[in-house]
């Protein structure tokens, strides 16, 4: 039997290690997928903790820790409810005008499509509307079952939000002590490395969370002001949609602005819709070349191609939740790898690092 070449031997040794790592990663994601509600709730708790850690610490200097946490959480909930009430008031106040403008806009779109160069059959859209109505009538039971299923999903969403708020309360109240206790349960030879990894992960996660919220808020303000001056209806709800969509890097903002372009097309015509499309390009340039480098360069050191692949892979694996979680997960993983590599190269005593994650 001829001897095995060193190259093949090395490739085989790496191959079985990669198989073991791949199996471990698959097992972790399988468990998270089985209990995805809990994973999402913990993630939301970490997000809230990253956003409210600084004000909670400031209030805790004059108030008891529990009271400071309760004040920051209740204040955040009231602020969120106020924003939602503002959006609901805006939608209710513009509903009549919006319905009239939409009817006029759809008629104008039909007339535009009937002319050159499209030459659309004048009865095509009306036939489509009739077929849609017939479909809904014939599949009424299916639609009702989907509505009931949606109500059940709403209960799941509320449960996840409640568990996320519960997690955030205890993370804010004693997250540093919980992390120190966890590190103390590990073997002594692992405590220093886990402490370094945890500190790097928390710094990256908090930096990313605060940065993406700032980027999303800036995008929402720019979109809201632009839509308001263009006279596009539902400017406030569309700005709020832009805020939440910005949490999906590279993809979310264009999708939200595409919805705004459709609304502008139906309500104000193709010229205003074209201006909104141009706004997509402008917002993308501001976000990619100004906001992300200034706000998030310290927290996220990923190539845009890596970000795009991460978002698409997360969306394929877990839908919208995966698209939102993908970039911070990859960023945290890379920062942990970098921190451990630098600690190894430095050759210093990693036990000097405080394992308790207490970053502002």
């Amino acid at each position: 039997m001829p001897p095995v070449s060193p190259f093949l031997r090395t490739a085989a040794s790496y191959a079985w290690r990669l198989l073991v790592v791949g199996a471990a990663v698959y097992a972790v994601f399988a468990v998270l997928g089985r209990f995805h509600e809990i994973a999402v709730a913990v993630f939301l708790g970490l997000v809230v903790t990253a956003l409210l850690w600084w004000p909670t610490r400031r209030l805790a200097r004059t108030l008891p820790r529990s009271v400071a946490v309760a004040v920051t959480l209740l204040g955040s909930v009231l602020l969120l409810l106020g924003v939602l009430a503002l959006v609901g008031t805006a939608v209710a106040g513009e509903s009549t005008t919006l319905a009239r403008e939409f009817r006029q806009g759809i008629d104008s779109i039909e007339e535009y499509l009937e002319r050159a160069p499209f030459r659309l059959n004048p009865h095509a859209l009306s036939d489509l509307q009739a077929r849609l109505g017939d479909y809904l009538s014939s599949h009424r039971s299916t639609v009702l079952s989907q509505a009931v299923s949606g109500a059940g999903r709403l209960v799941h969403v509320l449960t996840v939000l409640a568990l996320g708020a519960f997690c955030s309360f205890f993370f804010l109240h004693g997250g540093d002590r919980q992390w120190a206790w966890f590190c103390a349960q590990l073997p002594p030879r692992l405590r220093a490395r886990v402490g370094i990894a945890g500190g790097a992960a928390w710094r990256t996660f908090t930096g990313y969370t605060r940065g993406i919220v700032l980027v999303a808020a800036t995008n929402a303000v720019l979109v809201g002001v632009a839509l308001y001056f263009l006279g596009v209806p539902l400017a406030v709800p569309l700005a709020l949609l832009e805020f939440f969509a910005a949490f999906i890097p590279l993809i979310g903002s264009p999708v939200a602005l595409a919805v705004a372009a459709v609304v502008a097309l139906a309500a104000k015509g193709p010229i205003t819709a074209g201006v909104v499309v141009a706004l997509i390009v402008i917002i993308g340039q501001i976000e990619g070349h100004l906001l992300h480098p200034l706000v998030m360069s310290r927290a996220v050191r990923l190539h845009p191609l890596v970000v795009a692949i991460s978002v698409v892979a997360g969306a394929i694996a877990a839908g919208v939740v995966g698209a939102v979680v993908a970039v911070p997960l990859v960023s945290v993983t890379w920062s942990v790898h970098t921190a451990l590599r630098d600690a190894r190269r430095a050759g210093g005593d990693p036990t000097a690092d405080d394992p308790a994650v207490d970053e502002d």
Side-chain angles (χ1 to χ4, degrees), residues 227-253:
L227 295 180
Y228 174 79
F229 283 107
L230 288 173
V232 177
L234 300 179
V236 175
L238 290 173
L240 185 63
L241 176 64
E242 167 65 24
F243 175 80
F244 287 110
F247 284 87
I248 304 178
L250 302 179
I251 298 176
S253 292

Side-chain angles (χ1 to χ4, degrees), residues 276-300:
V276 176
V277 171
L279 185 65
I280 296 177
V281 179
I282 296 173
I283 294 293
Q285 294 299 315
I286 294 175
E287 179 179 347
H289 294 87
L290 181 62
L291 295 178
H292 275 281
L294 290 178
V295 176
M296 301 182 64
S297 60
R298 293 181 58 189
V300 182

Side-chain angles (χ1 to χ4, degrees), residues 54 124 168 221 303 328:
W54 184 83
S168 62
V221 170
H303 193 276

Side-chain angles (χ1 to χ4, degrees), residues 204-223:
T204 300
F205 185 79
T206 53
Y208 176 85
T209 303
R210 296 167 184 173
I212 197 66
V213 168
L214 182 58
V215 170
T218 304
N219 286 357
V221 170
L222 293 176
V223 170

Side-chain angles (χ1 to χ4, degrees), residues 59-270:
L59 284 177
R61 294 178 178 178
T62 56
L63 298 174
R65 185 77 177 193
S66 301
V67 177
V69 173
V71 168
T72 52
L73 286 176
L74 290 177
S76 303
V77 171
L78 292 177
L79 178 61
L80 179 60
L81 292 178
V83 172
L84 294 179
L86 177 63
V87 172
T89 302
V91 172
E94 297 181 6
S95 59
T96 304
T97 305
L98 181 63
R100 184 180 67 253
E101 290 181 346
F102 259 78
R103 285 194 296 269
Q104 296 174 354
I106 292 175
D107 293 339
S108 63
I109 292 173
E110 291 180 0
E111 295 176 358
Y112 178 75
L113 293 176
E114 291 170 6
R115 298 193 298 267
F118 299 101
R119 302 292 184 182
L120 186 67
N121 186 348
H123 303 289
L125 292 180
S126 59
D127 292 343
L128 180 61
Q129 294 175 2
R131 291 178 182 177
L132 181 60
D134 295 338
Y135 177 82
L136 293 177
S137 299
S138 60
H139 297 78
R140 185 174 301 173
S141 59
T142 304
V143 174
L144 290 177
S145 63
Q146 290 293 331
V148 173
S149 176
R153 292 176 182 175
L154 178 61
V155 174
H156 281 285
V157 170
L158 294 178
T159 303
V160 169
L161 292 177
L163 182 58
F166 189 75
C167 292
S168 62
F169 178 86
F170 286 100
F171 290 160
L172 288 169
H173 186 271
D176 49 352
R177 294 190 298 272
Q178 294 169 12
W179 177 253
W181 175 87
F182 172 77
C183 290
Q185 310 309 309
L186 299 174
R189 61 188 180 84
L190 292 179
R191 292 176 188 173
R193 296 186 64 189
V194 172
I196 294 174
W202 184 244
R203 285 191 296 271
T204 300
F205 185 79
T206 53
Y208 176 85
T209 303
R210 296 167 184 173
I212 197 66
V213 168
L214 182 58
V215 170
T218 304
N219 286 357
V221 170
L222 293 176
V223 170
V225 172
L227 295 180
Y228 174 79
F229 283 107
L230 288 173
V232 177
L234 300 179
V236 175
L238 290 173
L240 185 63
L241 176 64
E242 167 65 24
F243 175 80
F244 287 110
F247 284 87
I248 304 178
L250 302 179
I251 298 176
S253 292
V255 171
L257 287 174
V259 175
V262 172
V263 174
L265 178 63
K268 294 297 181 180

